[in-house]
Amino acid sequence: MIFFVGAVCRGFNLGDFECPEQSVPVEALSRPWETCQTMNSAWGYDISREKSYRTTKSMVQELVTVASRDGNYLLNIGPKGDGTMTSGSKKILNSIGSWMEKNSNSIYGTSGNPFPKEPSWGTYTQKGKTVYAHVFKWPKDKKLTVSRYKSKKLKLNKVYLQNTGKKLKYTVKGSKITIKVPKEAPDKKDTVIVMEYK
């Protein structure tokens, strides 16, 4: 009797999901997938890597990009031999946690980008009739151009900042929406703008 253990065979299109380790596909894959990532290029505790942690900003944006491409984000933690977490890991996780406290509904239970392309300023996630614009690069002219649904059944009802609830003024022209945004990005890691349709 032969037993096969493991659900993934990378590169052979076998198994029940794909696992591009330490990388993020440039677009959504045709089947479920997750990426495994490290904080400092070490899978376990490595004292020589303790000053090589990635920025929280890069990991938040990576998490959001994975969600926008219908993937799962698996972040590795390399604890010490006694099982305790390093101060670097704690700092990163607390910072990601702070961002998630304000923006988790733009990640949990969402599906990927509902539009054919990703914008140059960031990406989108979606939940029901709500689209979340994740802005990585803040517009200098205080005008953010986003895509809109082409469905005649849905009409844009409200646009606001996720972290404060502050409503934003906008204009609709064809397949584009121009949103008037503050001069400075409210969150330099990723400012989430919510677009509610009805």
Side-chain angles (χ1 to χ4, degrees):
M1 193 175 259
I2 298 174
F3 292 95
F4 291 95
V5 179
V8 180
C9 184
R10 296 185 189 96
F12 292 99
N13 212 26
L14 301 174
D16 55 8
F17 68 97
E18 194 72 34
C19 186
E21 197 169 279
Q22 292 279 65
S23 66
V24 178
V26 295
E27 59 185 22
L29 301 180
S30 60
R31 61 182 181 153
W33 67 277
E34 78 174 7
T35 182
C36 307
Q37 298 289 342
T38 63
M39 296 183 181
N40 60 359
S41 298
W43 291 108
Y45 176 65
D46 182 345
I47 194 169
S48 69
R49 304 301 304 165
E50 283 304 297
K51 292 184 179 179
S52 302
Y53 282 91
R54 298 165 55 200
T55 64
T56 304
K57 180 179 180 178
S58 71
M59 283 185 269
V60 165
Q61 291 185 2
E62 190 172 65
L63 162 68
V64 170
T65 300
V66 168
S68 77
R69 296 174 188 169
D70 287 318
N72 185 56
Y73 191 63
L74 180 60
L75 184 60
N76 179 73
I77 299 172
K80 297 179 182 178
D82 62 3
T84 59
M85 285 198 303
T86 63
S87 59
S89 293
K90 288 179 183 178
K91 182 179 178 181
I92 293 290
L93 292 175
N94 285 331
S95 187
I96 293 174
S98 294
W99 184 87
M100 286 294 287
E101 279 181 19
K102 299 175 183 176
N103 300 287
S104 61
N105 63 330
S106 71
I107 300 295
Y108 293 135
T110 61
S111 56
N113 179 5
F115 305 109
K117 295 182 179 180
E118 290 183 347
S120 60
W121 45 257
T123 192
Y124 301 96
T125 54
Q126 175 189 10
K127 185 187 295 178
K129 296 178 183 178
T130 301
V131 175
Y132 301 93
H134 295 267
V135 188
F136 303 160
K137 298 175 185 175
W138 201 247
K140 293 180 180 178
D141 63 358
K142 298 191 292 184
K143 293 179 182 179
L144 183 72
T145 301
V146 301
S147 299
R148 79 168 179 89
Y149 280 128
K150 294 181 180 179
S151 172
K152 294 179 180 178
K153 296 180 181 179
L154 295 176
K155 182 180 178 182
L156 186 59
N157 183 47
K158 187 167 57 171
V159 177
Y160 57 95
L161 291 171
Q162 171 69 46
N163 63 347
T164 64
K166 180 182 177 182
K167 290 184 179 180
L168 300 173
K169 294 181 180 179
Y170 63 90
T171 56
V172 180
K173 188 174 182 181
S175 63
K176 299 293 180 184
I177 302 165
T178 301
I179 303 171
K180 186 176 180 181
V181 297
K183 183 178 180 180
E184 299 293 331
D187 191 321
K188 296 192 184 302
K189 298 179 192 72
D190 169 25
T191 296
V192 181
I193 295 176
V194 185
M195 297 177 285
E196 291 185 357
Y197 287 80
K198 68 174 184 178

